[in-house]
Amino acid sequence: MGVSEHFRPLLVRELTETRKARAGLSTDITSTSDLRRESNVDDEHDPEGSTIAFELSQSATLLRDADARIAELEAALLRLEEGRYGSCEVCGTAIAEGRLEARPWTRFCINHAGGR
Ligand SMILES: [Zn+2]
């Protein structure tokens, strides 16, 4: 079994799940924003206002992370289609399969990962 046959379903599943999670997050943000408007709280001085602001910024961060992950996964699927999947973009070495299992969206071998 080739690398692409093995990793395509994995990437597709991950992409589906991340998109689902992202949809849930935007719903959260919308309803929290509505709540904030309705309650008309003063963010600076109202304790409830700062909680809402905090929750909004938390959700916004998660949403940004989800967007980034979706972009990575889509790019990985594209590389798979083009037969470039699983090679390090820096040195061209085949990325260890264990690393791909853990981070199927990765574009770098362990030596060039730099924490990604
Ligand atoms: Zn490398």
Side-chain angles (χ1 to χ4, degrees):
M1 190 155 110
V3 169
S4 49
E5 284 83 358
H6 178 70
F7 284 101
R8 183 177 286 112
L10 209 138
L11 285 164
V12 169
R13 195 181 59 224
E14 190 80 21
L15 187 59
T16 309
E17 278 169 15
T18 311
R19 279 189 178 139
K20 218 182 294 173
R22 193 206 177 279
L25 280 171
S26 4
T27 311
D28 272 4
I29 288 180
T30 310
S31 56
T32 311
S33 304
D34 287 351
L35 185 73
R36 187 188 207 177
R37 233 185 335 271
E38 281 162 23
S39 60
N40 201 22
V41 285
D42 180 343
D43 278 4
E44 301 274 320
H45 306 104
D46 190 310
E48 194 191 343
S50 55
T51 306
I52 293 173
F54 178 72
E55 278 172 17
L56 273 177
S57 78
Q58 289 281 90
S59 304
T61 304
L62 290 172
L63 197 63
R64 247 194 332 266
D65 288 351
D67 279 340
R69 176 60 45 82
I70 288 167
E72 296 269 27
L73 287 164
E74 283 173 345
L77 277 165
L78 188 69
R79 291 198 300 280
L80 206 67
E81 296 306 323
E82 293 174 348
R84 292 183 292 121
Y85 182 76
S87 304
C88 174
E89 280 196 356
V90 180
C91 64
T93 301
I95 301 167
E97 214 159 304
R99 179 169 162 73
L100 287 174
E101 294 277 2
R103 302 168 165 257
W105 54 85
T106 193
R107 288 180 286 139
F108 304 101
C109 74
I110 192 80
N111 295 325
H112 296 112
R116 275 167 297 194

